[in-house]
Amino acid sequence: MSLPHAILTALLEKPSSGLELTRRFDRSIGYFWSSTHQQIYRELGKLEQSGQIRALPTAVPARGQKKEYEVLPAGREELAAWVALPEDPRPVRDPLLLRMRAAAVVGADGLGAELRRHLALHERQLAEYREIEERGFTPAPTTAEDRLRYLVLRGGIDLETFWIGWLTRAIADLDD
């Protein structure tokens, strides 16, 4: 149920075409909620059919012209209701953790290299988040909207910091 809400959020931030939404998912929203181009277009159709968004009228309609969408009051109400709903945390479902559990019964050959690869990926992601923080949140955010956006980024930074620490300890433990 979260993809339509991610799209409504993005469209409330800025009316966009499907292609622009896909690019925005790749640049920002995709850090915590990924989606394919096809999924976004399919969901845009459903949201438009349900009366939550509409394609903005164009001055000169042309075949093949990209549609730009905006959120209608029903979409804003849906998003506000969803934000207020209680939701329990979801358990971590990471294949690396399952592979480590499997290695306990079949052997850990090759696992150290995979842990090091994951460590490098998390270090790269943390560096990217730090760049975003420096570029977009220095000085510290002052509006409520920017503080909320920054909290999402801080969550990503803290999560990457956790994984780096955990992987570093796991590698050290396996090397002993």
Side-chain angles (χ1 to χ4, degrees), residues 13-91:
E13 291 173 339
K14 179 180 184 269
S16 304
S17 69
L19 181 58
E20 290 166 341
L21 278 173
T22 300
R23 289 179 180 149
R24 288 173 61 205
F25 266 73
D26 289 344
R27 284 191 321 263
S28 60
I29 296 170
Y31 288 121
F32 56 89
W33 195 267
S34 62
S35 186
T36 66
H37 186 76
Q38 294 84 1
Q39 289 171 318
I40 289 171
Y41 273 95
R42 192 170 37 249
E43 205 57 52
L44 283 169
K46 290 177 187 176
L47 289 167
E48 190 173 25
Q49 269 189 324
S50 71
Q52 294 183 44
I53 66 170
R54 73 173 181 143
L56 290 169
T58 57
V60 182
R63 194 166 199 278
Q65 184 179 5
K66 65 181 180 180
K67 289 185 192 177
E68 196 166 89
Y69 295 92
E70 71 175 353
V71 177
L72 296 171
R76 180 180 283 278
E77 289 169 15
E78 166 58 30
L79 188 59
W82 178 75
V83 166
L85 282 177
E87 187 170 340
D88 293 339
R90 297 203 174 154

Side-chain angles (χ1 to χ4, degrees), residues 2 28 33 36 45 47 55 59 65 68 73 87 106 114 118 121 123 130 136 139 147 171-172 176:
S2 294
S28 60
W33 195 267
T36 66
L47 289 167
Q65 184 179 5
E68 196 166 89
E87 187 170 340
V106 298
E114 182 65 355
H118 275 255
L121 291 170
E123 288 170 337
R130 293 279 189 207
R147 283 194 298 272
I171 291 166
D176 281 347

Side-chain angles (χ1 to χ4, degrees), residues 113-173:
E114 182 65 355
L115 291 175
R116 285 177 180 78
R117 188 178 78 79
H118 275 255
L119 177 59
L121 291 170
H122 285 287
E123 288 170 337
R124 251 193 323 271
Q125 188 64 61
L126 179 60
E128 191 171 333
Y129 286 161
R130 293 279 189 207
E131 283 179 31
I132 293 168
E133 180 181 40
E134 183 67 29
R135 203 174 49 242
F137 296 100
T138 304
T142 56
T143 67
E145 295 83 4
D146 283 345
R147 283 194 298 272
L148 287 168
R149 288 182 187 101
Y150 183 60
L151 284 170
V152 172
L153 176 62
R154 278 298 324 167
I157 289 169
D158 292 349
L159 193 55
E160 293 305 327
T161 301
F162 160 78
W163 279 112
I164 290 167
W166 183 83
L167 285 162
T168 300
R169 284 190 302 281
I171 291 166
D173 285 354

